[in-house]
Amino acid sequence: MEQEKTIYTIGHSNHEKETFLKMLQTFDIEVLEDIRAFTKSRKYPQFNDENMKEWLGEAGIEYRQDHELGGRRRPSQTVGRTLNSGWQNESFHNYADYTLTDEFKDGIKLLEKTAEEKRTAYMCSEHHPARCHRLIVSNYLAAHGWRVLHIMQNNKGDIITQAHQLGQWGAMPILEDDGEVVYPENID
């Protein structure tokens, strides 16, 4: 029986650099894959790509950017609007359409390859994955046999993980025969 592959997610939110680093170190993360569309932050400069590369490197964590998995996608010109109509949120709908592209597939393959070789977390800015395109990336990975764990802090400030479950925070994904993950409108 094939062993389940594990990958982590994290949102930088408004964390101090030290807190964020502790969150990664708690789970022995070796590579942090940045999947933000924009890798700069005026409000939280510790999370600018160049700064992160430096302080993560000093801590022994490799920093990588994956622009192919970045969020904030425009409406698709090639995917029919009904295919992912389970998403009422336009940004999530657009990103779900984007996951059907070769560009996304290239990015996700690179992320999977990295995670097969080293303990990896992918990062965006939102604290909770339900508010971020990490949710759709997580659905894709979970539908393809990955155990996805979200690194977060609970209300007491304890560092925890929450196992990802398909459809727990939004539209229920369907894995099609060709491996595509889509979100059709919920039909009762």
Side-chain angles (χ1 to χ4, degrees):
M1 184 171 147
E2 185 178 324
Q3 186 176 4
E4 191 174 41
K5 303 167 282 192
T6 301
I7 192 166
Y8 295 81
T9 87
I10 191 168
H12 73 63
S13 187
N14 61 355
H15 295 299
E16 295 295 324
K17 174 176 72 174
E18 294 77 15
T19 301
F20 187 79
L21 191 55
K22 184 176 180 186
M23 292 171 78
L24 294 173
Q25 291 171 331
T26 298
F27 299 100
D28 301 319
I29 300 301
E30 298 171 281
V31 176
L32 182 69
E33 191 95 10
D34 189 342
I35 65 168
R36 296 177 292 171
F38 305 107
T39 57
K40 306 283 187 216
S41 176
R42 274 184 253 145
K43 194 170 185 180
Y44 305 107
Q46 68 270 30
F47 296 113
N48 285 344
D49 52 4
E50 289 303 316
N51 294 342
M52 290 188 76
K53 190 174 190 174
E54 183 179 325
W55 57 263
L56 285 170
E58 290 170 0
I61 299 172
E62 183 180 349
Y63 172 79
R64 295 182 183 178
Q65 294 176 357
D66 192 340
H67 297 290
E68 292 171 325
L69 295 182
R72 300 179 187 247
R73 299 293 170 170
R74 297 185 186 278
S76 173
Q77 301 301 309
T78 58
V79 177
R81 292 305 287 168
T82 59
L83 186 59
N84 289 307
S85 60
W87 286 113
Q88 301 302 308
N89 178 299
E90 187 72 14
S91 294
F92 282 23
H93 188 149
N94 292 347
Y95 196 83
D97 287 350
Y98 175 71
T99 65
L100 303 173
T101 68
D102 289 340
E103 187 178 9
F104 174 83
K105 298 294 187 311
D106 290 344
I108 205 79
K109 284 178 191 169
L110 180 62
L111 178 62
E112 289 176 309
K113 184 177 184 327
T114 301
E116 287 170 354
E117 296 170 0
K118 295 181 179 181
R119 201 168 181 97
T120 302
Y122 53 98
M123 177 200 82
C124 200
S125 59
E126 294 289 343
H127 166 72
H128 199 283
R131 301 188 58 187
C132 176
H133 75 290
R134 285 190 344 260
L135 170 61
I136 296 176
V137 173
S138 299
N139 282 342
Y140 185 93
L141 290 167
H144 287 90
W146 285 85
R147 178 175 171 237
V148 179
L149 298 173
H150 303 288
I151 302 171
M152 298 186 283
Q153 284 184 309
N154 65 15
N155 293 339
K156 297 176 186 175
D158 299 325
I159 299 170
I160 61 167
T161 60
Q162 181 170 352
H164 186 78
Q165 296 174 18
L166 293 173
Q168 75 190 82
W169 295 310
M172 178 59 78
I174 304 295
L175 181 64
E176 295 190 324
D177 292 341
D178 61 1
E180 297 291 4
V181 178
V182 296
Y183 301 85
E185 194 166 355
N186 201 4
I187 301 171
D188 292 327

